[in-house]
Each structure stands twice: as structure tokens, then as C-alpha cells.
Amino acid sequence: MGFDDGRKLSGVCAVEVLHRKQVTPHMMRVTFGGEDLKRLPQHGFDQWFRLFLPRPDGKATNFDAVPDKLRTLDYLKYLTHGDRPPLRNYTVREHRPDLGEIDVDFVVHGDLGIAGPWAATAEPGERLVIMDQGKGFDLHPDAGFHLLVGDESALPAILGILRDLPRGVRGLALIEIPEMADVQEVSGPAGFEVRWLPREDSSVLPGSLALAELKAFQPETPAELSAYLVGERTIPTGGRRHLVALGVPKSQITFVGYWRLGKAQA
Ligand SMILES: Cc1cc2nc3c(=O)[nH]c(=O)nc-3n(C[C@H](O)[C@H](O)[C@H](O)COP(=O)(O)OP(=O)(O)OC[C@H]3O[C@@H](n4cnc5c(N)ncnc54)[C@H](O)[C@@H]3O)c2cc1C
């Protein structure tokens, strides 16, 4: 599986908030700009990055504490800075290299946490730092069928993969969202079905609809299936277990827990 892309840009990019726009009830799009973004490679698909945010306590944030790389030792050193910026992971929703701009879609999930609440009120001119991580999606060109499964946090990744997949591939995308109004426009291969799964009711556990739909799906030829499972951690863990039991080769399953219900990212 991917998620450690050797072609990522080394070093950090200083970025500035240009504007923010509510795209659906639970999704806030923040556009970042800056000269550094003109040298950000365009990996496409689910290109992701580390985002270093202003401290939520209003105290001064030491962006100089951000290392050029995030190997284990660099990370441990970064943790020693009491005034370091908090770190979260996000996906490039759209990239305009000529303009030095990226759009990032943040799930707005209430008052808890740092990145979601920050995005809900981000103001033009705010300065942050990002670190390119390349892409996580591995294209298996010989796969007969592609399965993409995720929740709203995975929406930018899945829509980016659909946008960049070769037009001739066949597949199914299962995308769980809070409500039907969170649907976004899709530009994908004609042979791809996109199934939206709105929870609608807050008593429905995030990830449960996507996982149930995945379990109801019967691949014609498991050995030829390629799967990408991301989002609330029950999707990748439960989904992978299920597909492996059906006979899908482990090497053809990309799976990553994006977040965990009731637990803040460290
Ligand atoms: C490679 C990668 C790419 C990602 N790309 C995106 C992206 O493009 N857009 C995006 O919105 N997220 C994305 N995520 C997920 C995002 O990093 C997490 O949701 C992160 O925890 C949000 O940080 P926070 O500070 O808002 O909340 P945290 O401080 O981490 O958590 C605080 C509370 O909020 C809850 N929470 C966290 N995330 C969510 C959520 N999405 N929905 C509901 N409750 C939540 C937690 O369970 C916890 O109780 C990505 C994750 C990875 C690993």
C-alpha cells in the first residue's frame, strides 16, 4: 500500500489563507495561496499533506518549530517545543500550480478538535505551514474492478481519485456522508458507479453505512479487485478484514484510518 510516497517534496511550504467557502452543510473549502505552492508537485489522486495550524489557545505559534522532514527524530524534537503548531493531515482537493493555489475541503464536525473548528472561521491572511506527503493511492493497472470506500473525510481523496483514474476502468465508490445535501459533483470514468450513503440521523455511527454496503458487495473475481478503504477507522479495519476473507490479495488493498470516533488526533 502507499501513503509513503518517495516523490514528495522535501521541506515545508508557507501558505496563506486566500478565502473560505461553505460548499455543503458539513464541508468548508479553504483556498491557500503563496509563492511556495508554485513548487508543490502535482501528484493528483489523493495527494495529502501535513498541516501545521495556529494554536487554538490564542497564544503565539512558533512555526519555526516545524522541521524540514518528519522522520522519527525530527518529530520527537518538534514535540519538545511547547509553543509548536498542532499538526493534522489533509488532502489537496484541487491544485492550481500556475497560480500557486490549493483548495482544501475540511469536514466541519462541531466544536471539538483543532482543524475542523479552525476551518469554520479561517480568515484571509492567516499564515500556516504545510508539508507535502505525496499520494497514498496505488493504481493497480491490471485490476479488473476498483472499489473506493470512505466517509466525508475521504470525500476529497475519493473525488480526486475518480478525477484522475484512467477513463477505461470499472468500479464502485461507496461514499458515506452526513446528509444528502453533502453530495458533491463527480467527474469520474463512465464505468464507475458512485453510491452516496447519507446517515441523515445523528444516531447512526460514522462508518457503519459504508461498512455495511461494502459487506453487501460481492466482487465477481476477488483476485482481480483493487480496494481503497479510508475514513473513520472502522471502515479500513473492518473493510480490509472482510475483503481478505473473500480472497482479495492483501497487496491490492490500500487502507488507512483517517480519524477515530471520540478520539482527538495527537
Ligand atoms: C491522509 C489523510 C488525509 C485526510 N484528508 C482529509 C480531508 O481532506 N478533509 C478532512 O476533513 N479530513 C481529512 N482527514 C481526516 C482529518 O485529519 C481528521 O478528521 C482530523 O482528526 C481532524 O482534526 P481535528 O483537529 O478537527 O479533530 P481532532 O482533534 O483530531 O478530534 C477531535 C474530535 O473530533 C472528532 N473528529 C475528528 N475528525 C472528525 C470527522 N471528520 N468527523 C467527525 N468527527 C471527527 C474526533 O473523533 C474527536 O472526538 C485526513 C486524514 C488523513 C490521514
Side-chain angles (χ1 to χ4, degrees):
M1 57 160 266
F3 281 94
D4 187 13
D5 191 331
R7 292 161 310 154
K8 65 192 175 203
L9 177 75
S10 64
V12 295
C13 296
V15 300
E16 182 178 330
V17 175
L18 298 182
H19 44 84
R20 104 179 112 84
K21 176 184 167 195
Q22 184 100 38
V23 281
T24 66
H26 294 87
M27 200 65 97
M28 186 65 80
R29 180 162 301 157
V30 179
T31 299
F32 295 98
E35 278 304 306
D36 280 2
L37 286 178
K38 292 187 177 162
R39 61 183 179 86
L40 181 73
Q42 194 165 24
H43 304 288
F45 294 93
D46 60 345
Q47 177 168 1
W48 67 288
F49 58 89
R50 311 273 190 198
L51 174 65
F52 295 87
L53 292 136
R55 296 173 61 82
D57 54 15
K59 292 192 184 146
T61 309
N62 176 11
F63 284 105
D64 290 337
V66 177
D68 276 354
K69 293 195 173 102
L70 218 52
R71 294 163 304 198
T72 311
L73 277 181
D74 307 309
Y75 183 62
L76 292 175
K77 192 168 169 216
Y78 153 82
L79 290 180
T80 63
H81 292 269
D83 52 358
R84 68 183 177 278
L87 162 60
R88 295 291 186 268
N89 302 311
Y90 279 86
T91 305
V92 176
R93 178 69 172 81
E94 285 299 339
H95 187 183
R96 295 176 289 281
D98 296 353
L99 297 176
E101 288 183 10
I102 55 171
D103 295 333
V104 184
D105 279 6
F106 291 80
V107 175
V108 177
H109 55 85
D111 297 336
L112 292 176
I114 296 173
W118 173 82
T121 58
E123 288 296 338
E126 283 192 69
R127 290 172 179 276
L128 293 83
V129 164
I130 71 165
M131 188 184 282
D132 180 34
Q133 296 297 305
K135 66 177 178 59
F137 179 74
D138 272 335
L139 176 63
H140 295 276
D142 299 332
F145 198 86
H146 297 261
L147 182 64
L148 310 175
V149 186
D151 60 16
E152 60 270 35
S153 68
L155 192 47
I158 292 180
L159 293 183
I161 292 169
L162 287 169
R163 178 196 60 214
D164 292 341
L165 273 172
R167 295 298 90 176
V169 302
R170 287 192 316 127
L172 170 67
L174 304 175
I175 312 177
E176 184 182 302
I177 44 176
E179 53 178 292
M180 224 31 210
D182 288 303
V183 167
Q184 291 190 32
E185 200 178 310
V186 180
S187 138
F192 233 96
E193 180 194 349
V194 178
R195 215 175 281 167
W196 297 96
L197 308 168
R199 287 191 296 275
E200 300 293 355
D201 186 335
S202 60
S203 66
V204 178
L205 282 182
S208 61
L209 297 187
L211 194 54
E213 198 79 1
L214 164 65
K215 288 183 176 173
F217 165 72
Q218 288 296 329
E220 285 166 25
T221 320
E224 291 179 10
L225 184 84
S226 134
Y228 178 85
L229 317 171
V230 301
E232 203 286 325
R233 72 167 194 151
T234 52
I235 297 175
T237 53
R240 180 172 184 270
R241 203 175 306 123
H242 173 76
L243 291 177
V244 169
L246 286 182
V248 178
K250 287 181 183 168
S251 60
Q252 286 168 208
I253 305 176
T254 299
F255 67 109
V256 172
Y258 270 16
W259 64 284
R260 188 171 166 186
L261 187 63
K263 192 154 171 34
Q265 217 181 292

